[in-house]
Amino acid sequence: MKRNRIVQTLLLGSMGVGFFASGVVAGPAMAASPADWTQIPARTVTLFYPGQSSYQWLRSRAHPGARMVWNGAACLNCHSGTERGRGRHMDGGMRRGMRQGMRWRPPTAAKMGRDIVDGGPLEPTPIPGKNGVLNLSVQAAYDAENLYLRFQWRTNLDRPGRMHNYMRFDGEKWAFYGGPRSSESVASGEEPPLYEDRLAIMIDDGSVPGFRTQGCWLTCHRGMRDMPGEATKAEVKAHPLIGETGLGRSDVRKYLPDSRTDAAASWDKTKSAQAIADIKGAGGFVDLMQWRAHRSNPIEMADDGYVLEYRLSDEGKGPYGWNVDRETMTPKYMFDPDKVGMKVLTVDDIGDPAKPYALIREENAVPYDADADWEEGDVLPGRLLSRVDATGSASDNSRVHGEWDDGVWTVEWTRKLDTGHSGDDKILREGRTYTFGFAVHDDNVTTRFHFVSFPIQFGIGSPGQIQATRLR
């Protein structure tokens, strides 16, 4: 029995999933849940910093394992093992490749993250002080109706990243203030680092070719924001499907290769709208749910979207929108002084846990008063949240709550197994195994400056690297 437990831990650890220290991380009291989390096994998923690695890079000569990728091998065929015994659990094909002259010694996820974050070919703009690895504790349970998830991770900063898209009054006009640590204005010290922490979950049910083996690398490409060959705004706006006459976008975000016509999955070589609709109708999309520390957590929601030809929101309205009139660049709402004791924050208030940090339309906001004696240094959130305005499939994730305590985020997430929106969501069923991918944005960053997991096999009443516990 003891030997079996040791072997199980070793095998899970070799895939980036292992037992989390004592099983559960101590954290703040959360909202009532049917799961007794002290009785639910915790697994640690190793998330690492990927830099500019992409779908195209995995298949290029720059990647020593490109031949394996072209042959359909999973990332974990190579990047398995432990720090002391890398490659210990390689499959037979990988061992044959090594014997046939492949001298490359595949690094573990943790080693890759630490190597990439410091700079080099995959990270031309390293962020000082950023860690390369993040350990995500995952607990999972389910019953006849819902999947229950609990996540915990330690932040790199000694405060939660809860500020996002703030606006500052300079005495004459309002302008965006602060931003991600990757931006030039923040890196130079001209503006403060203000960007929300974020937890993302990707889900596939086997309908997306390649996702089981390569996970989120199937969605990350050249031409995207902060990636090699980044497309210009003019190029994107002129594109018939993605640009002004189509989706109305000005940059490139996640997409699946199956939505493109060429083998390289180029961002601009899109299939026709009808072909993409046919793929979506057959379930050929990846479900993408995102908990956001500023834009969704204050109203205990997460947004709901999917990835196919682009990273898109589900039908309906999600938990947040802009608090900025983009034509006049003035706020739409301000804080309600009768409810929160102030109409506006100041620069010095940012990060003060005793002050409000999010505008919620139905709780603490009133319409913006242009004649309210605004002063230089006044600050308002650039996003407006509303739980009551959220509708449709985009509002499915309505039972998600996060708390930050002593450097640790704890997020509890309830998701219906069958959301009733099969056109946008992956319907989960007992007795099946799904491919999950996890990502965390930490330390005031966005886009590719996050931490990602290798694809994880997630079992709901079936085998998996992570197995949800059945609740009675």
Side-chain angles (χ1 to χ4, degrees), residues 33-340:
S33 169
D36 178 359
W37 295 114
T38 64
Q39 302 301 311
I40 306 299
R43 302 290 185 264
T44 300
V45 181
T46 301
L47 276 58
F48 68 98
Y49 186 81
Q52 290 187 335
S53 59
S54 66
Y55 176 86
Q56 290 78 17
W57 180 85
L58 256 62
R59 289 155 176 76
S60 73
R61 292 184 178 181
H63 178 209
R67 187 195 319 172
M68 303 294 292
V69 174
W70 278 108
N71 288 335
C75 295
L76 285 169
N77 278 16
C78 296
H79 302 287
S80 60
T82 63
E83 289 291 272
R84 294 183 178 181
R86 288 177 292 174
R88 181 178 297 172
H89 303 292
M90 293 185 294
D91 67 9
M94 185 58 191
R95 292 189 184 280
R96 286 193 294 274
M98 295 287 282
R99 288 197 297 268
Q100 291 169 6
M102 182 186 285
R103 299 181 181 276
W104 176 53
R105 191 182 187 191
T108 62
K111 185 177 190 321
M112 284 192 292
R114 289 194 292 266
D115 289 347
I116 294 171
V117 77
D118 289 335
L122 287 176
E123 185 44 85
T125 56
I127 297 175
K130 184 161 182 59
N131 48 314
V133 182
L134 183 146
N135 291 320
L136 179 69
S137 172
V138 182
Q139 293 169 273
Y142 74 101
D143 56 25
E145 295 184 0
N146 298 308
L147 175 65
Y148 306 99
L149 299 167
R150 186 173 188 259
F151 302 94
Q152 293 186 302
W153 70 94
R154 183 167 294 280
T155 60
N156 200 30
L157 293 179
D158 59 0
R159 63 170 176 80
R162 300 189 299 186
M163 287 68 72
H164 189 81
N165 289 142
Y166 274 29
M167 298 282 288
R168 178 181 180 275
F169 189 66
D170 66 5
E172 296 182 359
K173 63 183 184 304
W174 292 89
F176 284 112
Y177 181 66
R181 294 183 64 199
S182 56
S183 67
E184 292 183 7
S185 61
V186 173
S188 67
E190 180 182 344
E191 291 188 282
L194 299 176
Y195 218 83
E196 67 184 351
D197 295 339
R198 193 161 86 209
L199 167 67
I201 306 172
M202 284 186 175
I203 305 175
D204 178 47
D205 57 2
S207 300
V208 177
F211 193 82
R212 189 179 192 279
T213 56
Q214 293 162 37
C216 73
W217 279 269
L218 212 66
T219 71
C220 186
H221 303 270
R222 285 182 56 88
M224 288 170 46
R225 297 179 300 168
D226 293 320
M227 292 293 285
E230 180 176 356
T232 66
K233 287 187 177 181
E235 289 173 331
V236 178
K237 287 182 176 181
H239 192 275
L241 183 69
I242 302 174
E244 291 181 328
T245 60
L247 297 176
R249 309 307 170 111
S250 60
D251 59 19
V252 181
R253 304 196 184 183
K254 295 182 185 298
Y255 62 86
L256 294 177
D258 204 30
S259 68
R260 268 50 181 180
T261 59
D262 63 330
S266 305
W267 75 266
D268 56 339
K269 301 297 190 298
T270 56
K271 291 182 179 178
S272 68
Q274 183 57 56
I276 290 171
D278 291 343
I279 295 171
K280 188 166 186 281
F285 61 89
V286 172
D287 206 342
L288 174 60
M289 309 181 297
Q290 298 187 81
W291 168 90
R292 303 171 187 267
H294 180 96
R295 286 179 281 181
S296 69
N297 191 53
I299 55 174
E300 299 194 329
M301 295 186 72
D303 61 10
D304 201 359
Y306 67 94
V307 179
L308 181 50
E309 76 273 32
Y310 200 83
R311 193 194 81 190
L312 297 167
S313 296
D314 285 3
E315 291 292 328
K317 181 175 175 53
Y320 64 87
W322 284 104
N323 184 44
V324 182
D325 184 320
R326 302 307 289 266
E327 293 186 1
T328 63
M329 286 303 290
T330 55
K332 296 179 180 179
Y333 286 81
M334 62 186 190
F335 288 108
D336 184 345
D338 293 335
K339 293 183 177 179
V340 298

Side-chain angles (χ1 to χ4, degrees), residues 11-25:
L11 289 174
L12 287 170
S14 75
M15 295 182 286
V17 185
F19 288 96
F20 195 87
S22 61
V24 179
V25 179

